[in-house]
Amino acid sequence: MPQATGHLDIPKPRRLPRPSGHAKAMAAGVSLMALALLLYHSLAGGTLLVPNPYDSYLLQAQNWLAGRVSIANGQSYPWLELAIFDGKYYLSFPPVPSVLALPFAALDLAVGNLVQAGYALMLFSGVYLCFWQKEARPEECVFWAGFVSMGNGVFWLSCNGGVWFQAQLLNLCFAVWGIFFWLRRQYPAAFLLLALAVGCRPFTAMLAAGLYLPVLVRHLQQRRFGRAAAFSLPPLLVAAALGGYNLARFGSVFEFGHSYLPEFMRAANGQFSAVYFWQNLKNILRPVTLNAALDLEFALFDGFLFFAANPLFFVWFLAMLQKVRQKCFAPVDGALLAGFLISLAALCFHRTMGGWQFGARYTLDLLPWALLFFLGSAGRRPGLLAGWLAAAGILFNLYGAAYMLGH
C-alpha cells in the first residue's frame, strides 16, 4: 500500500521532469478513456453529440448573451432546478460552468455531453501531470490518473452533460489543475483555478483555504508582500465576481439560488439542517448486497456505500492505518484527514446527498484530499491490493454507468 512522506510541496519551481516515456503513456491513457466514453455513448444510442436537456449552464449562457441574468420563460423548464425569486427564474447553481459554456452558446452548439467528455479527459491529464511533477514513473502516473477518472464514480459523471454532473466534474478539473500549479509553486494560477473550483462547488472552499493559507502565512513571514498580493488577487477577483453576481440576483453575496428552489422552500428544515446529518451519513454507508439470484442490489437515491463506488478512499484509509501501525503518521496526514472529515460532515447537513445516482455522488468532491495524500508518496509502486481495488473500481463503475442507462 502506498505511503505518504508528509511532504507535498517541491523544493523550488522548475520544469516538469524529462519526458522519459511520459508523453506516450499520457496519450495512451487519455485515448483509452476517450474510447471508453465513446463506447458508452454508442451503447446509449449515439448520444455524444445529442443536446442534453439538463444542460442548464448552456441555457444560462444563452440568456447572458441575450442580456439577461434570469432565465426567460423559466416556467417552461419544470425538469430543471431553477430558483424562483421576485417572480423571475434563475439558475440555482454557481455560475463558473456557464462562463465556459459561452463559446458554445455563441456558436449555437448544444453539445453538453461532448463537452463533459472533454472535461473528463482534462481531469485524467491533470492527475497524470500532478504525479509526473512529483517524478513518478509513467506507469504510476497512468495508474493514479485512471484510478481517479475511471475507478470511481467520476466515470458516470463523465458520461452525462447534465447540470449536476458538469458542476462536479469541472470542480474536480479545476481542483486537480490547481493542485498541479500549487506543486509547481505557480501560485497565481493555482489559486485562480482553486477559486474557480469553488465557483462550481462551494464546499471546495475548505480545500482551497487549506492550500492557500499556509502559503500566505509563509510569504508574510518572509515579508514577500508583493508576491503574496500577486497570488491573492486572482482568487479575490473571482470571489468578488461570484459575490457580486449573487448580490445582483438575490441581494446576498452568499446566495447562489438554492434557497429559492421550490423543493427547499417547501422543506420544513430548509436546505441545510442538523436534522439531515445522521440520515445522510447512513445513506452513504448503505451496503451493496447480493440477492438470492446473485444479482447486485443497491440504493439509487441519495447514495450507497461511498468507498465501494469510490475505492480510492478505501485505499487511502488502508494506507493511513498502515502509517499509524508503522508510527509514521505525519501532521500533514492528519490535516488531510481532518479536511476530508469536516467537508464530509458539511455535505451531510444538506437536505439530500444528490438524489438519483450511482454510488455516492457528493463524496466525489472530496477526492482531492485523498489525491494530496498519494502525491506525498509519489515514486512508490502501488501494492497489489491497491492495484486490485483500482481494477475492481473500474469494472464496477463501468457496470454502474451501463446500469444507469436502464434505470
Side-chain angles (χ1 to χ4, degrees), residues 182 187-188 190-192 194-195 204-220 227-236:
W182 179 79
Y187 295 130
F191 298 132
L192 170 63
L194 287 165
T204 304
M206 173 74 69
L207 175 73
L211 295 177
Y212 169 76
L213 291 176
V215 175
L216 177 64
V217 169
R218 186 171 70 243
H219 279 71
L220 293 179
R227 292 200 174 188
F231 64 68
S232 298
L233 183 59
L236 288 175

Side-chain angles (χ1 to χ4, degrees), residues 34-105:
L35 177 61
L37 291 167
L38 177 65
L39 294 175
Y40 168 86
H41 284 287
S42 178
L43 187 64
T47 56
L48 190 58
L49 300 179
V50 172
N52 192 301
Y54 296 99
D55 191 355
S56 302
Y57 293 121
L58 180 65
L59 180 63
Q60 177 68 85
Q62 291 167 339
N63 278 269
W64 281 347
L65 293 177
R68 293 183 295 268
V69 294
S70 61
I71 304 296
N73 302 313
Q75 68 277 6
S76 302
Y77 306 97
W79 61 90
L80 298 179
E81 290 190 24
L82 297 181
I84 304 174
F85 182 74
D86 283 348
K88 294 184 178 181
Y89 289 79
Y90 297 91
L91 181 63
S92 63
F93 297 92
V96 166
S98 289
V99 177
L100 273 67
L102 280 170
F104 301 99

